[in-house]
Amino acid sequence: MTRTLSARHDVFPLAVVFRISRGARTEANVVVAEIHDGEHRGRGECLPYPRYGETVEGVMAQIESLADAVSGGLDRAALQEALPPGAARNAVDCALWDLEAKQAGKRAWELAGVPQPRPLDITYTISLGSPEEMAAQTSEHATAPLLKLKLTGEGDLERVEAVRRASPKARIITDANEGWTAELYCELAPSLAELGVELIEQPLPAGDDSALAEMEHPVPICADESCHGAADVAGLVGRYDFVNVKLDKTGGLTEALRVVQAARDAELGIMVGCMVGTSLGIAPATLLGYAARYCDLDAPLLLADDRPDALKTEGSLLWPPLVGLWG
């Protein structure tokens, strides 16, 4: 049965401006790969990320370059060699998972050999802003039990203190998106521990994080930009305590499953994360929730509107996908 591959660009406005240390966005520009076999359709979504040199046009071109290979029977194993880790491979990989599940009449988690996904407790992200702005965001989500604060460097202690005052009981993790120096980390980490922060994500730039191996970790540290594939995990030991597994970094669910296993073998904790996309992009990541201490999968909550058959949320709980959405 001949398979056809296509790619398209979808735009989803955000409910509010989303800011991190590298800039701000008002919409999610995602790319969807679709594979049809004449009877079934498999879909996968990715978010091209400028931090990794990706653009919508470039990612679509990468996906479309595989049209003949997909028609000729390209499978997930061959895909790992056909494209490098990144957004394009993620979209095609997840489309293949979705197609295979529909062809087999099974759910993707059964094919992956992981436990049946359950509702997950997810973070709610507080976008970068002034201490007052971040406190106001926190007050609007006062019932969220786990907050992820986007930080940047100067003024970060005041930001965390303001959020803590606004939500004395919430659990807090922070994410500097490579925005700190080693000196600032040493200054801030003990104070964040006193404020009850549970995790510090990617404080130093990837490629310039070796100093973390020589520093105290009063708060556990999680690698994000410093880890893309399973081959990166060994180099994290001693520097980091957790790994943030994102499908757009690993290049799909296939490699993400390998990263999870490598992290567990290295006795590193696991966070499952995401880019700012729709429920279609988040759905495959829910299969990794069984292994994760932290599930940072709140991207659909940031959208003004989501896709049909969107993931169900109730408070801080995120349900796994329905068949109509993915897998």
Side-chain angles (χ1 to χ4, degrees):
M1 191 175 294
T2 300
R3 300 183 304 175
T4 60
L5 170 67
S6 62
R8 73 171 188 271
H9 171 207
D10 290 342
V11 180
F12 288 81
L14 304 186
V16 296
V17 178
F18 183 75
R19 292 185 176 88
I20 66 172
S21 62
R22 282 191 286 270
R25 66 179 61 191
T26 58
E27 58 189 20
N29 281 272
V30 301
V31 173
V32 176
E34 293 191 358
I35 303 175
H36 293 257
D37 69 358
E39 180 179 357
H40 305 286
R41 177 185 67 164
R43 299 189 299 166
E45 177 189 290
C46 67
L47 186 130
Y49 201 41
R51 166 65 178 82
Y52 303 130
E54 296 173 335
T55 64
V56 167
E57 295 77 15
V59 165
M60 290 185 66
Q62 281 185 293
I63 293 171
E64 291 166 348
S65 74
L66 295 178
D68 288 344
V70 168
S71 178
L74 180 84
D75 60 13
R76 287 186 290 103
L79 174 64
Q80 309 311 302
E81 303 299 325
L83 286 180
R89 195 175 80 186
N90 176 33
V92 178
D93 184 75
C94 290
L96 287 169
W97 276 102
D98 189 28
L99 181 65
E100 290 169 28
K102 289 178 169 61
Q103 290 173 332
K106 295 184 177 181
R107 298 308 307 268
W109 62 267
E110 296 178 274
L111 300 182
V114 299
Q116 182 174 359
R118 53 179 172 76
L120 300 172
D121 281 306
I122 60 173
T123 64
Y124 186 82
T125 302
I126 302 298
S127 180
L128 178 65
S130 69
E132 296 76 17
E133 289 168 339
M134 294 181 72
Q137 291 181 60
T138 300
S139 296
E140 292 175 4
H141 301 278
T143 60
L146 178 60
L147 301 174
K148 177 173 177 174
L149 314 187
K150 289 293 187 178
L151 302 180
T152 187
E154 183 179 353
D156 280 348
L157 181 58
E158 292 76 14
R159 292 180 174 94
V160 179
E161 288 173 335
V163 168
R164 175 54 77 205
R165 287 192 296 270
S167 186
K169 296 182 179 180
R171 298 164 57 210
I172 293 176
I173 60 180
T174 64
D175 183 7
N177 286 113
E178 306 179 278
W180 293 357
T181 63
E183 293 75 19
L184 185 58
Y185 167 81
C186 291
E187 177 185 334
L188 289 179
S191 297
L192 297 185
E194 292 177 3
L195 288 166
V197 171
E198 295 187 14
L199 194 71
I200 296 172
E201 188 177 346
Q202 197 66 46
L204 306 185
D208 192 23
D209 58 359
S210 60
L212 293 173
E214 309 300 325
M215 297 175 177
E216 296 292 329
H217 293 196
V219 178
I221 306 175
C222 180
D224 182 0
E225 288 86 349
S226 289
C227 182
H228 290 250
D232 297 328
V233 172
L236 305 177
V237 176
R239 301 182 187 187
Y240 294 94
D241 309 288
F242 279 76
V243 176
N244 188 345
V245 184
K246 292 180 179 176
L247 302 189
D248 276 318
K249 290 190 305 174
T250 65
L253 179 61
T254 300
E255 180 66 11
L257 290 163
R258 297 187 183 119
V259 175
V260 166
Q261 188 57 56
R264 298 179 85 180
D265 290 345
E267 298 184 349
L268 296 172
I270 295 166
M271 171 190 285
V272 178
C274 64
M275 305 300 190
V276 181
T278 77
S279 284
L280 178 59
I282 303 304
T286 63
L287 272 64
L288 308 176
Y290 76 96
R293 174 70 176 84
Y294 298 101
C295 293
D296 181 25
L297 299 176
D298 66 337
L301 301 181
L302 307 177
L303 302 176
D305 290 295
D306 203 348
R307 296 186 186 277
D309 293 320
L311 297 172
K312 175 187 173 183
T313 59
E314 183 177 318
S316 64
L317 286 179
L318 177 77
W319 266 256
L322 300 173
V323 174
L325 177 68
W326 183 87

